[in-house]
Amino acid sequence: MIEGEARSVISRPKAILLDWDNTLVDNSESIHEAMTATLLGMGHAPWPLAETQRRARRSLRESFPEIFGDQWERAREIFHQRFAADHLNGLKTSPGAEDMLAGLAARGIYLAVVSNKTGSYLRREAAHLGWDRYFGAIVGATDAEADKPAVAPVDLALAKSGVVRGRSVWFVGDGAVDMDCAHRAGCVAVLLRGQPPGEHEFAPNPPDRHVTSCADLAAFVDALTPVAAP
């Protein structure tokens, strides 16, 4: 079987690793406000929301040195101070996300979060929503030796699961960094967003499957799940 054919085969997952922002939740307003305060505090012009959303897919420890040079740690302090004060107030859940998580967990599928948001914020947000009970691990930026799209956070998320990294693991997210991470880790790459992928948008690491919503993802898993014998 050639590589392309191998990637076309998708079977019931033993584990699903999920991105957080713009996949399970929307925290874009709080991120944008914190980023605006940071840019202004560092003497930079603020960005439009779309630019903040695009750049926020990378972790601070990777993106801030490129933006702020040797002053990046000061910029990080400004960002953290502003974001910590407001991120729970601005947190919105994606439609159908909790129902999906509850259903997948009930099927015995191991669930974990792998995000480039700072890990302490992730865990605080998950606990605030009462979703931490669904996850075997919540891995954010700086929790592993490297951040997405590196494989290290995938390995950390699976460390206590008993599941081996590979095609029995799905990586679900909304951006190129998620698709890249899935391919590097040898996992099934699932794009979760309303818009279908554009031609060559995710080259050289396209999604194996596109789903439009959390409900769509749950239905796709159900279609692959054998019905239990009576």
Side-chain angles (χ1 to χ4, degrees):
M1 182 177 289
I2 64 174
E3 181 178 355
E5 290 174 336
R7 291 206 66 88
S8 70
V9 177
I10 301 177
S11 57
R12 184 184 189 275
K14 295 179 179 178
I16 299 179
L17 309 181
L18 297 128
D19 179 40
W20 187 249
D21 288 292
N22 302 315
T23 298
L24 295 177
V25 304
D26 178 359
N27 205 198
S28 57
E29 291 182 7
S30 296
I31 294 170
H32 184 58
E33 289 175 3
M35 195 67 227
T36 298
T38 303
L39 289 165
L40 291 173
M42 297 298 292
H44 292 242
W47 299 334
L49 176 60
E51 182 69 6
T52 300
Q53 291 173 322
R54 183 182 70 83
R55 291 180 181 251
R57 299 184 189 280
R58 300 175 64 201
S59 65
L60 295 188
R61 68 172 168 180
E62 290 190 352
S63 63
F64 269 34
E66 295 177 6
I67 301 167
F68 301 108
D70 59 7
Q71 294 295 306
W72 77 272
E73 291 178 319
R74 177 173 168 246
R76 181 180 61 184
E77 291 176 4
I78 297 172
F79 181 91
H80 281 321
Q81 183 176 19
R82 180 60 179 266
F83 187 70
D86 187 58
H87 72 114
L88 295 180
N89 294 328
L91 192 64
K92 302 172 184 177
T93 61
S94 297
E98 183 163 16
D99 287 343
M100 178 196 71
L101 293 172
L104 295 175
R107 289 195 173 277
I109 297 172
Y110 176 84
L111 302 177
V113 172
V114 177
S115 169
N116 275 343
K117 176 177 275 181
T118 299
S120 58
Y121 295 137
L122 272 182
R123 290 180 282 274
R124 199 174 304 155
E125 290 174 8
H128 175 73
L129 295 172
W131 289 3
D132 47 345
R133 67 186 186 274
Y134 298 124
F135 302 119
I138 300 175
V139 178
T142 74
D143 288 337
E145 62 184 17
D147 305 319
K148 290 191 302 184
V151 173
V154 172
D155 288 337
L156 183 58
L158 293 173
K160 297 180 180 179
S161 70
V163 180
V164 178
R165 171 161 51 90
R167 298 289 290 176
S168 64
V169 179
W170 293 9
F171 197 112
V172 180
D174 69 304
V177 68
D178 303 306
M179 303 303 100
D180 292 346
C181 188
H183 278 257
R184 291 188 187 191
C187 302
V188 173
V190 180
L191 178 68
L192 194 165
R193 71 179 193 187
Q195 307 87 355
E199 186 176 6
H200 308 305
E201 179 184 359
F202 293 97
N205 295 320
D208 294 298
R209 177 81 180 195
H210 168 240
V211 295
T212 60
S213 65
C214 291
D216 193 11
L217 176 62
F220 180 41
V221 173
D222 284 346
L224 297 171
T225 303
V227 177

